[in-house]
Amino acid sequence: MRSVADFYQDCMAVAHALPPLDVQLADAVSCVLAEDVQAPFNLPVADLSACDGYAVRIRDCEGATLEKPVTLPVTEEIRAGAVDPAALVPGTAIRIASGAPMPTGAEAVVSLEFTDHGIAQVALRTAPASGENIRRRAEDVAQGDTVLRSGTRIGARQMALLAGVGRDRVLVHPRPRVVIISIGDEIVEPGGEARPGTVFDANGHALSTAVADAGAQTFRVAAVPDERARLRETIEDQLVRADLILTTGGISYGSGDTVREVLGTLGTVRFDNVAAWPGHIMGVGTVGGEDGRPGTPIVCLPGDPVSAQVCFEVFVRPALRHMQGWTAVNRPVVRAAIDRSWYSPRGRREFVRVRLTGSPRSGYNAAVMGTPASLLLSALADSNALAVVPEDVTTVRAGDTLQCLVLE
């Protein structure tokens, strides 16, 4: 029997980081940078006004208060985007927009709210400090600075910086394309009539959501029956667009379970009894690949929807994040006190659906959802974490503290 740690390493070993790809900025959302990004120019490129107001010299505003404003003539107005602003004449003010370049000779900007909004002349009701309301040249970023480093995930904040320094393309680890194949004669698409002997394809929809949540692209194939020729054809057809293939079902020892036989002729996939519950039988390896090209990674998960979801979280999600260039690939872990007792299978690492409550300061509690040994979709839906029972523990008692993988 293969240990959880060994099977985890097998999944990570086949899930190589995808080669970097130069993409347009819009296509880099949620991707991980594969390059250091340097600023090609200063940001701001010049001294700019930080607000709407009036550009002034300090000495011209001395003594200005709300009760005794200082009045100055307004000689000009500078708008954002101006290229060659006029110089400030001593004893005058220039109306200026937020983001507009500062005129030569100006030492501060008096915010509009501390004036009478004058046009020909303005009453200033405060004496500004030197540099007040001015964004200095290169205050944000200096030319040549590394503004984002390789390995950084691109979210909204990083996107603002990339666009702000003028980058329209960037080198990233692309999002993996994951093909999901549910296997079994009994599987039908949700929306049809519930009949004896059929089950709706919970795995296809659930794993598509989980894959997208992990940052990858998902392609869900219609359920494939337990027919060797049909399954082989489906897998071969999907190789052209897959960076990873996920299958569910068809891997037990029954005569109708065809995955082992089909994959035995398509690649190098190893099937093992894994010391995990839920889970047990799983497969990992590669399919396709010829003329020196590497095969496509494939992970074969159990057909039970709860088992498939738990095994995805433990084994597949970290592999997908590794393919995207993440350094932190696993879910966060906290310790929590368990609310009930149960027997855990000897020699297996058990992953139990729980709902966490609490905080870092007060500590965490974990309420078991459903019965630990029962694979209930309702219990999985109510959970937000997986409590991990080590292989050498057979009895969990109420109040025991366990490590919990945080799912939300």
Side-chain angles (χ1 to χ4, degrees), residues 24-395:
Q24 292 183 336
L25 212 54
D27 296 325
V29 177
S30 296
C31 293
V32 174
L33 272 173
E35 64 169 326
D36 291 340
V37 176
Q38 282 81 34
F41 49 78
N42 295 320
L43 189 67
V45 295
D47 290 351
L48 304 177
S49 174
C51 64
D52 293 330
Y54 295 84
V56 296
R57 296 183 354 144
I58 299 301
R59 69 179 62 182
D60 294 334
C61 305
E62 290 179 353
T65 65
L66 289 173
E67 294 76 18
K68 294 184 178 180
V70 169
T71 300
L72 296 176
V74 178
T75 60
E76 191 157 346
E77 180 176 2
I78 303 176
R79 299 176 182 272
V83 176
D84 190 18
L88 177 66
V89 176
T92 67
I94 291 179
R95 184 156 180 160
I96 191 168
S98 177
M102 292 294 295
T104 304
E107 299 169 324
V109 174
V110 178
S111 175
L112 209 60
E113 62 188 293
F114 292 104
T115 73
D116 65 351
H117 299 205
I119 297 176
Q121 62 179 23
V122 61
L124 307 175
R125 299 191 175 100
T126 186
S130 179
E132 186 172 336
N133 293 323
I134 296 177
R135 294 181 59 209
R136 294 299 184 186
R137 177 177 178 269
E139 175 183 272
D140 194 345
V141 170
Q143 182 178 356
D145 281 355
T146 298
V147 295
L148 290 173
R149 296 199 175 276
S150 178
T152 301
R153 177 185 176 275
I154 301 175
R157 299 182 302 278
Q158 293 75 27
M159 188 65 73
L161 181 54
L162 289 168
V165 298
R167 291 293 295 264
D168 65 335
R169 304 187 69 88
V170 69
L171 195 66
V172 299
H173 295 287
R175 299 169 63 196
R177 300 164 299 172
V178 180
V179 172
I180 299 168
I181 307 174
S182 300
I183 301 167
D185 292 334
E186 74 281 10
I187 299 173
V188 296
E189 188 66 15
E193 181 183 355
R195 300 189 308 273
T198 64
V199 295
F200 293 119
D201 186 15
N203 281 337
H205 291 277
L207 290 175
S208 293
T209 304
V211 166
D213 180 66
Q217 300 179 65
T218 181
F219 301 94
R220 189 176 71 86
V221 178
V224 179
D226 293 309
E227 298 176 8
R228 291 167 179 78
R230 180 87 169 270
L231 178 57
R232 180 187 180 93
E233 179 183 353
T234 299
I235 292 174
E236 289 179 330
D237 286 346
Q238 296 304 317
L239 291 176
V240 69
R241 66 173 178 177
D243 296 310
L244 175 75
I245 295 176
L246 281 181
T247 70
T248 64
I251 56 176
S252 295
Y253 294 101
S255 60
D257 295 311
T258 58
V259 175
R260 294 166 181 264
E261 182 177 338
V262 170
L263 292 182
T265 62
L266 287 180
T268 56
V269 181
R270 172 174 174 165
F271 290 89
D272 287 289
N273 292 335
V274 181
W277 175 260
H280 197 32
I281 302 174
M282 284 177 278
V284 62
T286 60
V287 290
E290 50 190 34
D291 299 329
R293 294 183 293 105
T296 299
I298 185 169
V299 180
C300 303
L301 299 178
D304 176 81
V306 174
S307 296
Q309 283 288 288
V310 171
C311 292
F312 175 89
E313 288 292 339
V314 175
F315 301 110
V316 182
R317 189 177 192 276
L320 280 177
R321 288 169 67 88
H322 175 63
M323 294 176 75
Q324 297 172 78
W326 289 85
T327 52
V329 298
N330 296 310
R331 292 283 196 181
V333 175
V334 300
R335 296 194 67 86
I338 301 299
D339 72 334
R340 71 174 77 172
S341 303
W342 73 88
Y343 172 81
S344 184
R346 181 182 300 275
R348 295 186 184 277
R349 189 176 303 182
E350 187 179 21
F351 298 91
V352 178
R353 284 72 61 204
V354 298
R355 173 159 286 278
L356 288 178
T357 56
S359 67
R361 175 173 295 184
S362 64
Y364 293 97
N365 296 303
V368 176
M369 298 290 103
T371 305
S374 300
L375 302 180
L376 308 176
L377 282 175
S378 57
L380 180 65
D382 286 338
S383 65
N384 60 8
L386 298 173
V388 184
V389 184
E391 290 87 340
D392 59 351
V393 174
T394 57
T395 301

